[in-house]
Amino acid sequence: MTIESDPSYPAHWEADVVLRDGGTARIRPITTEDAGRLVSFYEQVSDESKYYRFFAPYPRLSDRDVHRFTHHDHVDRVGLAATIGGEFIATVRFDRIGPDGRPASAPADEAEVAFLVQDAHQGRGVASALLEHIGAVARERGIHRFAAEVLPANGKMIKVFTDAGYQQKRSFEDGAVRLTLDLEPTAESLAVQRAREQRAEARSVQRLLAPGSVAVIGVSRSGGGVGAAALRNLRDTGFHGHLYAVNEAASADLLDGVRAYRTVADIGGPVDLAVVAVPAHRVPDAVRACGEHGVQGLVVLSAGYGESGPAGLQRQRELVRQVRSYGMRLIGPNAFGVINTAPDVELNASLAPTPASARGRIGLFTQSGAIGIALLSGLLRRGEGLSSFVSAGNRADVSGNDILQYWYDDESTDVALMYLETLGNPRKFTRLARRTAAVKPVVVARGGRHTPAGHVVPGTRLPESTVSELLRQAGVIRVDTVTELVDVGLLLAGQPLPAGPRVAILGNSESLGVLTYDACLTRGLRPLPPLDLTTAATPEDFRTALTDALASPDCDAVVVTAIPWVGENAPADDLAGALRDAVARHPGKPVAVVHVELGALAEALSTAAGTVAPRPPTTPPAPGPTTPTAGAPAAPPAPGPTTPTAGAPAAPAAPGPTTPTAGAPATPAAPGPTTPTAGAPAAPAASASAPRPADAASAADPAARPSTAGEGRIPAYPAAERAVRAVAEAVRYAQWRRSLADAGQVPEYEDIDEAGAAAQLAALLAGAADSAITLDEADARALLARYGIRVLPTLPAPDADAAVRAARTLGYPVALKTTAPHLRHRADLGGVRLGLTTEAELRRAYHELTEALGKPAELLPVVQAMVPRGVDTVVRSVIDPAAGAVLSFGLAGVPSELLGDTAHRLVPATDRDAAALIRSIRAAPLLFGWRGSDPVDTPALEELLLRLSRLVHDHPEVIGVSLEPVVVATEGLSVLSATVRVARPPARTDLGPRTLPSY
């Protein structure tokens, strides 16, 4: 069914979803063309399931039933089907009913709902996914409640309703359980939905990374080419499952020592993963063969898709649709492959050159094969191994979001490294990154920051520094290069998190120590004076100095500097052993080594002392009471001793509290605010959470094998700046983890009319095209008013007489201003006259305005009542393609705009976010009584920010709001002008039911 054949067909209800077991299904409206599919589906349902559905034996559907179940008006009667391979596996329908339980039309807001799931697909979460989607459809059609009758013996169906998280009523009538569900989303229903999403998407990735059998399609008989390389890597790595080679011209039983078949269908056993390495024009045949054989997932190495132009992009869309139609997931196309070093898997389905990566605690995701090679080589060269590696190529299906879902509870991964060129669904990425970062570091390097013309990576309207800061607010450690990605990952994978910014520096070179000291100050750390051991220092001197530094309560991290010895050289192994011995005695603080021309030392330090053991999900240690976290997004200090200035040497802080028991889990939450600008009062401080103990290697696990990565490794860097950058990022991240203890909350306001705003937006967009529209003044004021944001009215003044009448209506004193686009908010051009108290003043101002700037028809003058004096500010919110929904704040005027003095927070903002937002601009002191002026009403400003955040978060149709100026007085504030832009919500939204990106 298409829109062309039925204009009423709601194509936007179509969606691909991931099911509980990691497979996929397509959900779509049932149409008149589905009669044959419905009958075939019903024939495959057991008699018991039919009885549960119809409360009586019902062996077959009559022609009347088939007509009724396939003919819908998509308003009062709706049916959805879940399909795999084009065939139904489940259906759900609702019929709107009135108070008497009989069929009805709007404004009746209740519907009767019923499900039927094929027995072979029960237990896969199909009904739960259908309930999410049919609920969203019902809300769109003005239905607020579902009613369902279920036989008491049908426990599975009752559980689908009761576990959904909606508010519900339950009764027993006439031998059946009657359930009534309130469809308004609740915090519980959203939590249930996202928990199911995480489990399903993580499981779908796990099926790709831990298959029991792999077939490589496109293995050449000559042993050359991509397919043969992938097969050799799988074979040589020692993959623990069954391995097959597929070549349609295969004439022997073996290819490269692996069982060979002409087609996937010839393989006698199941195939969990297929690696496809055939030309692009032959990929559809390979996908079809895999789908019909029951393959669970594909890694498509073949190129010639989105990276090759419009024709390739269309080919890519068709590939995704075909793969999902069989319930499979896809990595690629144009992928580099996947690696899983788990001892019971040993999967290397990639083109990575040998030797393959060692087993370690780092997970790595890239969108670029070339970058993937560089990162794999860099980690291997510096002695670090991987838990898993995914190079997704064009990222047509499986994306970084899916991998984050998998890493979130993957016990083999301690640190997540990601090279990204796009964020796909930025709202979802920041949500998942925030949750994952609460339990393990997420380090991201972004390509495509400055998008060249014609490049496939979408750009951003925000400065790169702003995008980085927004990602940091979500707990992401943002780096600029792949070298920094490796540098930071090495430190986080092998060292504990620091308790604060105090850094001890020791080594055998005074000059190198001074360089390290300067680098610490540049990064906002608090270095202690360097300890020069002199060039005559022995490994024992290093051991003693490092032991003393680690035992001292005056530092939180240590940087060791080393240069070659003059004269008789001490073996590098001796120095490495001395440093490792000191760390083993006092393992609670991170240590980094800076070496100059001591490659042997770096190699010796990269050798682990034990085996790789998983870490418990812990929080970083809390700093001492007066220890600030400088140079990082930080929770403002609590009242008490003065906080030292960031980036300057300071007296050592008092030691932190005693470390509690290891393994205290961290609670995921929204990030805290950044450090406030000097001169502005701080937002309430976050309390420190449980400390993180030193990580210890576990050599007791007989399944663990020795690795070049592990707890005994001390990261070494060839430059002081690189080591300090890694330490600074660890300090910043540790502080963010501590701030989760009191991350704030998104407040509820009783006067918000969310339903009314939704109805208004639906009416405004009903006749609109696909492009965005700017609301007129009346509609914008009405929409904002539903969220408690009052915009001061203006009256048009097409001539002087109209201006006088407007002033009489509003009451003197008034302001006269132009609203022409080229003069709007440009008081510096003379388009505003303030404080007009009489008719004569108003007429004179009108004459001067039109004489100087142009005719009234060009200026579009308006009259507005004067408001109490205060500080002029600007509040905005936009949907940015790289960062998602963003809330912005700054002072009005050319200086702030010229200097870029605007702060940003991700939406939804918490009360702590709002408090920190207004304090984080450089001009913030103007709000708090600078040079003896009266402080303005910042609580009112914070409330305005929170209300706007709620509006944009609740309604994805709102793509841009600008409130300018907002005059904040000593009591209250006034919004003088508002611009609101709306558009139809995007196909992918993080607010609706679970869906995969659409093509």
Side-chain angles (χ1 to χ4, degrees):
M1 176 65 68
T2 64
I3 296 176
E4 288 76 14
S5 60
D6 180 7
S8 68
Y9 179 77
H12 63 287
W13 292 352
E14 295 183 355
D16 294 307
V17 298
V18 184
L19 303 177
R20 182 182 300 155
D21 62 357
T24 67
R26 184 158 186 81
I27 293 176
R28 64 169 178 83
I30 298 174
T31 72
T32 56
E33 299 173 1
D34 289 322
R37 296 184 184 89
L38 181 65
V39 172
S40 175
F41 158 72
Y42 195 76
E43 289 174 349
Q44 298 177 64
V45 175
S46 70
D47 290 339
E48 180 183 48
S49 294
K50 292 173 182 176
Y51 185 88
Y52 285 156
R53 168 64 177 86
F54 293 103
F55 292 17
Y58 216 89
R60 65 186 58 85
L61 297 175
S62 66
D63 291 342
R64 182 178 179 183
D65 292 330
V66 173
H67 183 276
R68 183 163 65 96
F69 294 151
T70 56
H71 287 68
H72 306 92
D73 62 9
H74 307 307
V75 178
D76 299 325
R77 299 179 60 251
V78 171
L80 300 179
T83 68
I84 295 179
E87 298 301 319
F88 286 9
I89 63 168
T91 63
V92 62
R93 58 177 289 110
F94 74 67
D95 294 87
R96 194 189 301 258
I97 58 175
D100 58 357
R102 299 176 62 83
S105 299
D109 62 354
E110 185 172 334
E112 192 171 53
V113 65
F115 294 77
L116 185 59
V117 180
Q118 207 173 84
D119 294 67
H121 295 277
Q122 291 178 9
R124 301 185 64 198
V126 182
S128 298
L130 281 173
L131 178 58
E132 289 181 20
H133 283 261
I134 198 73
V137 169
R139 289 191 295 271
E140 180 182 327
R141 296 309 193 204
I143 292 171
H144 301 146
R145 289 180 305 283
F146 272 162
E149 291 188 353
V150 187
L151 288 175
N154 192 0
K156 292 181 180 179
M157 197 68 245
I158 293 175
K159 185 173 176 60
V160 168
F161 288 114
T162 56
D163 289 354
Y166 294 115
Q167 292 184 359
Q168 56 188 268
K169 297 179 181 178
R170 185 171 176 175
S171 60
F172 189 78
E173 302 174 12
D174 300 326
V177 177
R178 182 171 179 82
L179 297 164
T180 303
L181 276 70
D182 187 338
L183 296 179
E184 185 67 24
T186 65
E188 183 180 356
S189 68
L190 185 60
V192 167
Q193 176 180 314
R194 289 180 171 172
R196 289 172 174 167
E197 172 194 64
Q198 190 275 326
R199 289 193 298 268
E201 293 179 359
R203 174 61 178 154
S204 73
V205 173
Q206 196 224 2
R207 298 203 312 179
L208 294 166
L209 292 178
S213 54
V214 178
V216 181
I217 303 173
V219 180
S220 68
R221 290 176 291 173
S222 66
V226 171
L231 182 69
R232 282 193 296 272
N233 282 341
L234 280 161
R235 180 198 63 195
D236 296 345
T237 305
F239 173 58
H240 288 226
H242 298 286
L243 183 58
Y244 310 106
V246 177
N247 184 313
E248 61 183 12
S251 57
D253 291 338
L254 298 177
L255 279 176
D256 261 350
V258 176
R259 291 282 298 177
Y261 299 87
R262 289 179 176 270
T263 67
V264 174
D266 294 338
I267 300 174
V271 176
D272 297 328
L273 177 69
V275 180
V276 180
V278 299
H281 70 275
R282 291 173 50 197
V283 170
D285 292 336
V287 172
R288 184 179 308 108
C290 290
E292 292 173 353
H293 193 71
V295 175
Q296 296 180 350
L298 305 177
V299 175
V300 177
L301 307 179
S302 312
Y305 288 90
E307 79 284 358
S308 62
L313 182 59
Q314 180 59 33
R315 190 180 302 120
Q316 182 169 301
R317 289 172 176 148
E318 293 169 357
L319 171 64
V320 174
R321 284 192 286 265
Q322 183 187 20
V323 168
R324 289 181 181 169
S325 73
Y326 289 105
M328 298 185 291
R329 298 227 56 189
L330 162 71
I331 291 178
N334 194 29
F336 188 69
V338 299
I339 296 174
N340 182 359
T341 63
D344 58 339
V345 179
E346 303 282 12
L347 174 77
N348 182 4
S350 78
L351 304 178
T354 56
S357 174
R359 185 175 308 138
R361 309 297 303 172
I362 288 179
L364 177 60
F365 174 86
T366 76
Q367 290 178 219
S368 163
I371 299 299
I373 293 174
L375 288 168
L376 287 172
S377 300
L379 289 168
L380 182 63
R381 183 171 60 253
R382 296 175 68 178
E384 185 57 78
L386 296 175
S387 60
S388 55
F389 165 75
V390 177
S391 180
N394 294 3
R395 195 184 51 81
D397 180 29
V398 172
S399 70
N401 287 346
D402 297 286
I403 306 304
L404 278 176
Q405 298 277 39
Y406 171 74
W407 282 336
Y408 171 68
D409 53 12
D410 176 35
E411 295 181 354
S412 299
T413 301
D414 287 339
V415 180
L417 304 186
M418 309 184 79
Y419 171 79
L420 304 175
E421 293 177 348
T422 61
L423 296 184
N425 184 337
R427 284 183 187 243
K428 183 174 181 178
F429 177 81
T430 52
R431 170 171 62 85
L432 299 184
R434 176 180 292 162
R435 185 190 60 186
T436 305
V439 295
K440 61 189 66 174
V442 177
V443 190
V444 172
R446 279 195 66 233
R449 291 175 289 161
H450 309 290
T451 308
H455 198 269
V456 296
V457 179
T460 172
R461 292 185 291 268
L462 297 176
E464 178 59 23
S465 60
T466 300
V467 175
S468 297
E469 187 57 38
L470 291 171
L471 290 176
R472 290 185 186 280
Q473 290 168 30
V476 172
I477 300 171
R478 174 73 169 82
V479 297
D480 294 325
T481 67
V482 292
T483 300
E484 291 174 353
L485 192 66
V486 173
D487 285 346
V488 176
L490 286 171
L491 183 77
L492 293 170
Q495 298 293 309
L497 293 177
R502 301 168 302 171
V503 180
I505 303 168
L506 61 94
N508 62 352
S509 167
E510 181 180 10
S511 297
L512 191 53
V514 171
L515 285 175
T516 305
Y517 183 91
D518 290 343
C520 287
L521 291 177
T522 300
R523 289 290 174 184
L525 300 174
R526 291 176 52 199
L528 304 179
L531 174 61
D532 181 18
L533 302 178
T534 77
T535 56
T538 65
E540 183 59 34
D541 294 330
F542 274 89
R543 184 201 320 268
T544 301
L546 181 56
T547 299
D548 292 344
L550 292 174
S552 171
D554 297 333
C555 77
D556 305 302
V558 182
V559 177
V560 178
T561 63
I563 63 171
W565 281 266
V566 178
E568 184 178 352
N569 291 336
D573 287 346
D574 291 349
L575 178 55
L579 297 178
R580 278 203 301 263
D581 182 61
V583 170
R585 293 182 182 182
H586 301 279
K589 298 175 183 178
V591 176
V593 173
V594 179
H595 65 92
V596 175
E597 299 301 328
L598 282 174
L601 173 61
E603 183 178 349
L605 288 171
S606 70
T607 302
T611 56
V612 180
R615 296 180 184 172
T618 58
T619 54
T626 59
T627 303
T629 304
T642 303
T643 304
T645 303
T658 303
T659 302
T661 304
T667 303
T674 56
T675 305
T677 302
S687 59
S689 55
R692 168 179 174 165
D695 298 304
S698 172
D701 181 5
R705 70 177 185 185
S707 167
T708 57
E711 301 299 336
R713 183 188 52 73
I714 301 174
Y717 303 88
E721 295 79 8
R722 289 173 58 179
V724 171
R725 166 70 186 259
V727 172
E729 294 295 352
V731 168
R732 188 194 303 264
Y733 171 69
Q735 191 283 328
W736 182 86
R737 284 274 291 267
R738 287 190 295 270
S739 75
L740 298 180
D742 183 15
Q745 59 183 359
V746 178
E748 297 288 340
Y749 296 106
E750 295 182 358
D751 59 342
I752 284 181
D753 181 10
E754 184 176 347
Q760 181 183 352
L761 288 167
L764 291 169
L765 293 170
D770 292 335
S771 58
I773 60 174
T774 301
L775 301 187
D776 61 32
E777 182 181 343
D779 287 332
R781 283 211 317 267
L783 179 63
L784 293 168
R786 296 183 187 278
Y787 273 71
I789 301 173
R790 180 178 178 271
V791 181
L792 202 68
T794 61
L795 295 178
D799 53 46
D801 292 336
V804 171
R805 289 193 296 272
R808 290 171 181 167
T809 301
L810 297 172
Y812 288 102
V814 296
L816 177 67
K817 58 179 75 174
T818 63
T819 60
H822 66 288
L823 295 172
R824 193 175 181 85
H825 308 310
R826 291 299 307 275
D828 56 307
L829 297 180
V832 179
R833 300 290 191 274
L834 301 176
L836 305 175
T837 59
T838 66
E839 178 179 337
E841 290 181 7
L842 177 57
R843 288 185 180 276
R844 186 183 312 112
Y846 197 96
H847 175 74
E848 293 172 352
L849 205 64
T850 53
E851 281 290 318
L853 300 177
K855 299 177 181 179
E858 300 171 349
L859 304 181
L860 304 177
V862 297
V863 175
Q864 192 172 46
M866 290 293 294
V867 299
R869 290 186 178 275
V871 178
D872 289 0
T873 65
V874 180
V875 174
R876 293 192 179 101
S877 184
V878 298
I879 305 297
D880 184 82
V886 177
L887 185 67
S888 305
F889 171 76
L891 298 191
V894 174
S896 291
E897 184 176 344
L898 183 63
L899 297 175
D901 190 16
T902 303
H904 309 271
R905 288 295 183 276
L906 295 172
V907 169
T910 67
D911 49 2
R912 284 179 57 83
D913 290 333
L917 180 58
I918 64 176
R919 291 162 170 81
S920 56
I921 60 173
R922 294 191 294 276
L926 294 174
L927 301 170
F928 298 96
W930 188 63
R931 287 191 173 181
S933 61
D934 293 331
V936 301
D937 192 350
T938 52
L941 185 56
E942 293 170 16
E943 182 177 334
L944 174 68
L945 290 164
L946 291 168
R947 287 179 178 273
L948 181 58
S949 170
R950 277 288 309 276
L951 171 65
V952 175
H953 181 65
D954 292 346
H955 305 284
E957 300 91 341
V958 180
I959 62 171
V961 178
S962 177
L963 309 180
E964 181 181 2
V966 177
V967 181
V968 189
T970 55
E971 291 187 13
L973 56 77
S974 302
V975 181
L976 302 190
S977 178
T979 302
V980 179
R981 288 177 56 77
V982 298
R984 296 186 184 281
R988 283 181 289 170
T989 172
D990 200 33
L991 304 177
R994 291 174 286 159
T995 65
L996 286 171
S998 60
Y999 276 88

